[in-house]
Amino acid sequence: KQSVATAMQQGEGLIMIYDADTREVRHYSKRLMCPVTGLSYKEPAPHNFSFNSPQGACPRCKGLGYVNLIDVDKVIPDRNLSIHEGAIAPLGKYKNAMIFWQIEALLEKYDFTIKTPVKDMPDDAIDEILYGSDERIKIKSTLIHTSSDYFVTYEGIVKYIQMMQEKDASATAQKWAEQFAKTDVCPECKGARLNKEALHFRIHDKNIYELASMDINELYDWLQQVDPFLEDKQRMIAAEILKEIRTRLKFLLDVGLDYLSLNRTSVSLSGGESQRIRLATQIGSGLVGVAYILDEPSIGLHQRDNDKLLKTLTHLRDLGNSVIVVEHDEDTMMAADCIVDIGPGAGEHGGKVEAVGTAEEIMKCEDSITGAYLSGKIKIPVPETRAVPTGWIKVVGAAENNLKNIDVKFPLGVMTCVTGVSGSGKSSLVNEILYKSMAKKLNRARVIPGKHKRIEGLEMLDKVIDIDQSPIGRTPRSNPATYTGVFDLIRDLFAATADRKST
């Protein structure tokens, strides 16, 4: 008994017993165990299915879904050159150094030299140069001018760059190594961010990552139909949990977020989407007597989906809450019980209450510019002439997220607007495919463009700039003056005054 207890302790809950008579080996485990292989796993707990926990995260990417890898196209940017001419960017042109002697010796077995263009070398040879050789390399005495041959292990260019990244903490070494790196999807978890054990648990043939990748409307439908596929015991355990999940998903559907998936990162959400998620949380709380203040909740929401948002807001009101909305949207103003119009202009020209009342009352108020636009007295005319494009950029085979392998042409030299309902693929097309492809080629940025075949016409541009809603400065003390560089000129102006020179 004591021996079994000791073995269990040493084996962390797993022991193997050999039967001397039958010569059979039996596995015993306190955990979940496969009787064939003897592999055992700990009892599953919620943290085993969270990529924020060490117990659930993928060991390769630590739960991030992405890893830094060496980009072969950056290591060998021009395959028309030979290694002697500097085809391998980290090494540069040939010099009397051990690494070049090793490569030259390695290429001998392929009947090539370092003066052969890389494009003419077989893939096996290039792989060995990049990733190292399993065999010890023989460097002949004639090559290094010694009395005997020299045998060395060769670990490859990629290993050398990675070693510089990991071991040399200096900024110069890091910057040098980073120019050959790229951020790519983790090859072990394929972006799921969870370890293999977590991904092997399935409910009705779906693991947790597959469920989290579904659009919310698809996931809601799947959850509505999953009960018949559960065993009686599973159905009993899942009853309350499924009820709660369905209720929360319904709140998200009610605010028009049916196109999102649960695994979307928060940084990829627009301001309007983030606000509507918080709004769905509040609906689920069921609070009454609360004042809710929303700042332009219709941002990022197509006009078609405005009704869902307005129904949510009126539902909050009907529960006995006060809802105050800062908004420019016509539909929201028309649905409001009371409008407070502040104006008449911006900055020093504003700050006055122009009108208070219902939409109909605001329309009749002569001092309200908002009322004039609502009633149609003032309109923004459609331009009679349009600018003529100076060229075109064509995206071929765009297939990121919801895009269905489409080809799109963007005119140059004009202002172009990409529009469509929420979730139709606008951001995927422009931000994920077009911008990231241009940034990678024109700005040499370390980004991964979305799925597409190719982009034509980039040679007509020399730079791309992304203007988004991220903070403009590095510190909370920054302001538009410091960011635009105006303060530099103002300081120069003060430094040139007579008072300054007199001191």
Side-chain angles (χ1 to χ4, degrees):
K1 183 178 178 181
Q2 190 175 355
S3 298
V4 171
T6 304
M8 274 285 186
Q9 186 178 359
Q10 291 293 321
E12 296 181 350
L14 173 67
I15 63 170
M16 183 174 71
I17 294 179
Y18 175 71
D19 191 322
D21 296 330
T22 61
R23 295 188 178 185
E24 289 183 355
V25 172
R26 283 193 171 189
H27 299 278
Y28 294 89
S29 175
K30 287 183 177 180
R31 311 181 199 160
L32 299 170
M33 187 190 77
C34 171
V36 179
T37 63
L39 290 174
S40 67
Y41 302 95
K42 293 180 181 177
E43 195 71 26
H47 60 232
N48 292 117
F49 302 94
S50 170
F51 46 75
N52 290 319
S53 166
Q55 286 85 355
C58 167
R60 175 75 184 274
C61 64
K62 303 295 186 291
L64 297 175
Y66 291 91
V67 290
N68 281 332
L69 301 174
I70 303 303
D71 190 345
V72 175
D73 291 333
K74 291 179 180 177
V75 174
I76 311 177
D78 187 355
R79 297 196 173 220
N80 292 313
L81 298 176
S82 68
I83 295 172
H84 192 279
E85 295 169 324
I88 300 176
L91 302 181
K93 292 185 178 180
Y94 179 82
K95 45 190 168 291
N96 277 321
M98 175 61 76
I99 187 98
F100 283 101
W101 300 337
Q102 289 174 321
I103 294 172
E104 196 161 0
L106 187 149
L107 287 172
E108 276 192 18
K109 69 178 181 181
Y110 293 100
D111 296 327
F112 289 102
T113 70
I114 57 173
K115 292 186 178 180
T116 306
V118 173
K119 66 178 181 180
D120 296 332
M121 294 181 185
D123 292 340
D124 291 347
I126 295 171
D127 282 346
E128 279 202 57
I129 292 169
L130 291 172
Y131 302 105
S133 175
D134 296 331
E135 305 168 6
R136 287 170 64 84
I137 296 173
K138 176 183 176 183
I139 300 177
K140 293 180 179 178
S141 57
T142 53
L143 186 64
I144 54 177
H145 308 293
T146 59
S147 58
S148 59
D149 295 339
Y150 194 68
F151 289 87
V152 294
T153 56
Y154 174 70
E155 295 185 330
I157 305 296
V158 169
K159 180 77 172 178
Y160 173 66
I161 298 171
Q162 288 173 338
M163 186 176 67
M164 290 291 288
Q165 271 184 313
E166 293 167 5
K167 293 187 177 180
D168 195 332
S170 67
T172 306
Q174 290 294 316
K175 191 173 182 180
W176 176 84
E178 282 175 5
Q179 66 180 314
F180 306 112
K182 66 176 179 179
T183 304
D184 210 345
V185 175
C186 175
E188 188 163 324
C189 67
K190 305 292 189 294
R193 304 202 277 183
L194 293 163
N195 59 35
K196 290 180 180 178
E197 291 175 28
L199 296 174
H200 277 88
F201 284 86
R202 293 180 174 272
I203 298 174
H204 185 29
D205 293 334
K206 297 283 184 185
N207 63 32
I208 189 170
Y209 173 68
E210 290 168 339
L211 291 179
S213 301
M214 289 182 175
D215 288 349
I216 288 175
N217 57 353
E218 286 180 49
L219 178 58
Y220 185 77
D221 291 340
W222 184 89
L223 287 165
Q224 294 288 74
Q225 300 164 10
V226 75
D227 285 341
F229 300 96
L230 301 177
E231 297 172 8
D232 292 340
K233 183 180 177 182
Q234 292 175 326
R235 198 177 296 117
M236 192 182 302
I237 295 169
E240 290 302 315
I241 301 172
L242 286 173
K243 179 183 175 184
E244 187 66 26
I245 295 172
R246 289 166 184 155
T247 303
R248 295 189 185 201
L249 291 180
K250 187 66 169 64
F251 294 148
L252 291 170
L253 294 174
D254 289 342
V255 293
L257 295 174
D258 55 300
Y259 57 90
L260 289 184
S261 59
L262 294 180
N263 65 353
R264 274 281 292 271
T265 54
S266 58
V267 293
S268 69
L269 299 173
S270 69
E273 287 170 341
S274 300
Q275 193 164 225
R276 276 178 277 145
I277 287 174
R278 291 195 291 272
L279 191 59
T281 307
Q282 293 303 320
I283 300 168
S285 68
L287 295 174
V288 295
V290 177
Y292 289 101
I293 299 175
L294 296 94
D295 188 5
E296 300 189 31
S298 67
I299 286 178
L301 195 64
H302 194 272
Q303 291 297 113
R304 189 191 72 172
D305 299 322
N306 261 6
D307 287 344
K308 290 181 181 178
L309 177 65
L310 293 175
K311 284 178 183 176
T312 303
L313 297 179
T314 52
H315 177 67
L316 279 175
R317 176 201 64 189
D318 295 341
L319 286 174
N321 299 300
S322 304
V323 182
I324 301 170
V325 184
V326 179
E327 188 61 274
H328 307 278
D329 179 64
E330 182 180 353
D331 291 340
T332 308
M333 286 189 277
M334 297 301 287
D337 300 308
C338 180
I339 298 175
V340 178
D341 183 28
I342 296 180
E348 64 179 11
H349 304 295
K352 297 178 182 177
V353 176
E354 295 295 296
V356 178
T358 62
E360 289 76 15
E361 290 170 345
I362 295 288
M363 289 183 203
K364 295 174 183 176
C365 181
E366 295 181 1
D367 296 330
S368 172
I369 297 176
T370 303
Y373 276 105
L374 284 176
S375 63
K377 292 177 184 176
I378 303 177
K379 294 181 180 179
I380 300 174
V382 177
E384 295 181 4
T385 58
R386 303 280 186 179
V388 180
T390 57
W392 297 83
I393 289 178
K394 186 176 182 180
V395 179
V396 180
E400 182 72 3
N401 292 331
N402 296 330
L403 297 172
K404 304 293 191 295
N405 198 30
I406 59 171
D407 301 341
V408 185
K409 290 174 70 178
F410 292 90
L412 299 175
V414 298
M415 186 173 80
T416 304
C417 178
V418 178
T419 185
V421 297
S422 296
S424 59
K426 305 182 294 297
S427 298
S428 298
L429 175 64
V430 178
N431 297 340
E432 296 300 314
I433 297 176
L434 183 62
Y435 167 69
K436 286 187 177 180
S437 298
M438 294 169 78
K440 187 174 182 180
K441 184 168 183 179
L442 304 177
N443 300 354
R444 300 176 70 180
R446 290 175 55 201
V447 293
I448 308 170
K451 295 176 187 174
H452 70 288
K453 292 178 182 175
R454 66 182 185 278
I455 296 182
E456 301 170 359
L458 289 183
E459 65 278 358
M460 291 184 277
L461 299 168
D462 60 7
K463 191 176 182 182
V464 60
I465 297 172
D466 178 34
I467 301 175
D468 57 17
Q469 294 176 329
S470 58
I472 62 171
R474 295 181 182 177
T475 72
R477 298 185 298 278
S478 66
N479 54 39
T482 55
Y483 190 76
T484 56
V486 171
F487 262 151
D488 295 340
L489 299 172
I490 293 173
R491 291 186 187 105
D492 290 341
L493 183 63
F494 274 99
T497 60
D499 287 344
R500 177 263 173 204
K501 292 177 180 177
S502 65
T503 58

